[in-house]
Amino acid sequence: GAVVSQHPSRVICKSGTSVKIECRSLDFQATTMFWYRQFPKQSLMLMATSNEGSKATYEQGVEKDKFLINHASLTLSTLTVTSAHPEDSSFYICSADGLAGGRSSYNEQFFGPGTRLTVL
Amino acid sequence: AQSVTQLGSHVSVSEGALVLLRCNYSSSVPPYLFWYVQYPNQGLQLLLKYTSAATLVKGINGFEAEFKKSETSFHLTKPSAHMSDAAEYFCAVSFGNEKLTFGTGTRLTIIP
């Protein structure tokens, strides 16, 4: 299957700082990527859909000024958590759309390994 | 609106016993259905998928699932549980080009 990477895998930061998380599709071009947030022992919550060359589409209740998404190339999307606070601590997972990237004939998403963010 | 329900947030089975994880969906159109597994502090790995071909789908690690339209179900099974199967399992559904909707997950524990 298609490979998606995330960097960093873990990050610890102080409250008030900004953190950038990268999501890369390694062997296909992903025109659409998704960002999820997962709290301990809970399911994945879609935060936003990242579209190459255009603005991200945020889900209801997600602050777009808090969670900045940039999809400047066909293989890279970044999520920046601005002015992070302890309540932003979570597991962030990205995925790439296989249909949009020509790797699948239907809406299959390929997931990255996730980034554990801890805000002190 | 599409939705998926996983019955049982926790399931425990003995090593070597049958694994059955339940998933039901609601839809007015044919869905695409997926089962993902997540190990601690890792991303999601696709176990298997149903895309309107054969109703009995075989996946990795000995898992399989059967799409039953009459019951709107897509339950995941494995004949004999292994200790390495202990993980969180997510059922997900999508329709056409719509985004994935995940169930709440089922934590599978294997008893030695």
Side-chain angles (χ1 to χ4, degrees):
Chain A
V3 181
V4 175
S5 69
Q6 278 184 246
H7 178 79
S9 58
R10 291 178 176 270
V11 57
I12 300 173
C13 69
K14 294 182 179 180
S15 184
T17 60
S18 294
V19 175
K20 179 184 286 187
I21 303 170
E22 293 184 348
C23 178
R24 295 182 183 272
S25 56
L26 298 184
D27 52 0
F28 70 106
Q29 294 180 335
T31 55
T32 301
M33 291 183 173
F34 302 90
W35 286 97
Y36 294 85
R37 184 174 181 177
Q38 185 180 32
F39 290 106
K41 302 184 187 301
Q42 295 189 27
S43 188
L44 279 71
M45 299 294 293
L46 180 64
M47 298 174 66
T49 302
S50 172
N51 300 295
E52 188 270 334
S54 64
K55 292 183 178 180
T57 303
Y58 290 83
E59 295 299 300
Q60 190 173 7
V62 177
E63 299 176 60
K64 60 181 180 182
D65 295 329
K66 172 77 171 176
F67 299 99
L68 300 179
I69 292 174
N70 183 281
H71 196 154
S73 80
L74 289 172
T75 59
L76 173 64
S77 175
T78 60
L79 168 68
T80 300
V81 183
T82 62
S83 187
H85 291 285
E87 57 265 30
D88 299 323
S89 298
S90 189
F91 195 54
Y92 293 87
I93 303 175
C94 73
S95 70
D97 189 326
L99 175 63
R103 288 300 297 263
S104 179
S105 58
Y106 53 89
N107 188 14
E108 177 176 1
Q109 294 182 25
F110 300 99
F111 286 83
T115 296
R116 172 75 59 194
L117 171 63
T118 302
V119 184
L120 302 177
Chain B
Q2 63 188 39
S3 68
V4 60
T5 302
Q6 291 184 241
L7 296 176
S9 59
H10 292 85
V11 171
S12 295
V13 301
S14 298
E15 188 176 15
L18 171 71
V19 175
L20 171 61
L21 305 182
R22 300 178 185 274
C23 174
N24 289 86
Y25 68 92
S26 65
S27 165
S28 58
V29 298
Y32 295 137
L33 292 158
F34 307 83
W35 274 101
Y36 288 91
V37 61
Q38 183 181 34
Y39 297 100
N41 295 310
Q42 294 186 29
L44 274 67
Q45 180 181 7
L46 181 66
L47 276 177
L48 48 80
K49 53 186 180 272
Y50 168 76
T51 58
S52 73
T55 56
L56 181 62
V57 181
K58 294 186 182 298
I60 62 172
N61 301 340
F63 284 94
E64 64 181 35
E66 186 173 8
F67 173 70
K68 293 186 176 181
K69 184 178 179 180
S70 61
E71 299 177 8
T72 62
S73 68
F74 190 57
H75 301 331
L76 181 70
T77 60
K78 181 174 180 177
S80 178
H82 192 272
M83 294 301 294
S84 61
D85 295 327
E88 188 85 18
Y89 292 79
F90 293 97
C91 182
V93 63
S94 73
F95 302 92
N97 293 329
E98 294 187 17
K99 53 199 172 188
L100 279 176
T101 298
F102 284 90
T104 50
T106 298
R107 181 168 300 275
L108 176 64
T109 300
I110 309 300
I111 303 167

